Amino acid sequence: QVQLQESGPGLVKPSQTLSLTCTVSGGSISSGGYYWSWIRQHPGKGLEWIGYIYYSGSTYYNPSLKSRVTISVDTSKNQFSLKLSSVTAADTAVYYCARDWGYGSGSAPGWFDPWGQGTLVTVSS
Amino acid sequence: EIVLTQSPGTLSLSPGERATLSCRASQSVSSSYLAWYQQKPGQAPRLLIYGASSRATGIPDRFSGSGSGTDFTLTISRLEPEDFAVYYCQQYGSSSTFGPGTKVDIK
């Protein structure tokens, strides 16, 4: 079955760019039919959807983060990536990647299944 | 933005009891675009329900979802020891937002 694994630095300095990669196994991103999302969870708090990408490169971002987010895809490596610029302590969170079933209304994402295990990113000098 | 409110914040129950969790939206969620997730400490969320009432693959039938418009409910008919966790609702009818969660703990 499809599995996802996040990777990237666990510590990022304020004002810098957070970069994470999600590697998908057990299925091909380029086969289509699904979107691929990033979601984060602040320590001890709830969940926040960041954005998604389709294998073609089409993206849709949470309006609240749109100005700082870039999601890209590398189908040759079966990976997709997140970049979040100008980070502050408020961006400290566990970042998850997930398969997005894309059945939301309009451009909205759908439900998420499965999820990666998550990776904690701390923003601190 | 559609804001989701979950109640109660914490539900203290015993194994074998019935759990009823509420998710209320600040505006109508079109076409029942609502999902439920279970999260245990140190783990990623797990999809339970999508489309307000469809169980995800492999989810036991003691989990059921219902509701429409602005009011949705997740029911666990008989709590098993492994069901004590935090439950989140998510709407995907207008962008996507999550509720703050309901913790189901052992009484």
Side-chain angles (χ1 to χ4, degrees):
Chain A
Q1 74 277 19
V2 170
Q3 294 183 308
L4 300 93
Q5 177 68 58
E6 305 86 352
S7 60
L11 181 63
V12 180
K13 289 181 167 41
S15 79
Q16 294 191 341
T17 296
L18 177 161
S19 297
L20 295 174
T21 296
C22 181
T23 301
V24 179
S25 59
S28 173
I29 288 177
S30 58
S31 61
Y34 301 102
Y35 295 75
W36 303 91
S37 270
W38 287 98
I39 300 142
R40 69 181 181 180
Q41 184 169 33
H42 295 99
K45 300 282 182 64
L47 297 152
E48 180 179 33
W49 174 70
I50 298 170
Y52 68 60
I53 192 163
Y54 196 55
Y55 79 96
S56 61
S58 298
T59 55
Y60 185 68
Y61 303 137
N62 185 325
S64 68
L65 295 167
K66 183 178 179 179
S67 63
R68 299 194 291 131
V69 172
T70 302
I71 299 176
S72 59
V73 64
D74 185 338
T75 55
S76 67
K77 294 181 179 178
N78 220 29
Q79 296 175 334
F80 62 106
S81 298
L82 168 71
K83 289 189 186 299
L84 182 66
S85 64
S86 306
V87 297
T88 69
D91 294 309
T92 293
V94 174
Y95 285 77
Y96 295 99
C97 55
R99 183 174 62 177
D100 177 344
W101 287 64
Y103 282 100
S105 177
S107 298
W111 59 88
F112 308 112
D113 180 53
W115 298 52
Q117 67 183 31
T119 187
L120 174 63
V121 178
T122 301
V123 179
S124 175
S125 55
Chain B
E1 174 181 289
I2 296 179
V3 176
L4 300 179
T5 303
Q6 291 187 244
S7 60
T10 301
L11 193 55
S12 296
L13 295 168
S14 301
E17 289 194 292
R18 181 185 187 89
T20 303
L21 287 67
S22 174
C23 176
R24 180 162 290 177
S26 60
Q27 55 188 283
S28 183
V29 177
S30 57
S31 302
S32 297
Y33 289 140
L34 191 109
W36 289 93
Y37 300 86
Q38 176 194 69
Q39 187 177 34
K40 297 179 181 179
Q43 297 184 16
R46 177 175 73 141
L47 176 71
L48 300 174
I49 301 286
Y50 62 92
S53 60
S54 297
R55 263 189 307 276
T57 302
I59 300 303
D61 61 8
R62 63 180 181 273
F63 291 92
S64 63
S66 62
S68 63
T70 60
D71 290 297
F72 298 87
T73 300
L74 175 70
T75 301
I76 310 171
S77 59
R78 287 175 51 87
L79 282 164
E80 297 287 341
E82 62 268 27
D83 298 338
F84 292 92
V86 179
Y87 292 83
Y88 294 96
C89 56
Q90 174 221 355
Q91 67 79 22
Y92 46 96
S94 174
S95 187
S96 181
T97 51
F98 291 85
T102 289
K103 182 178 183 180
V104 179
D105 66 13
I106 300 177
K107 188 174 182 180

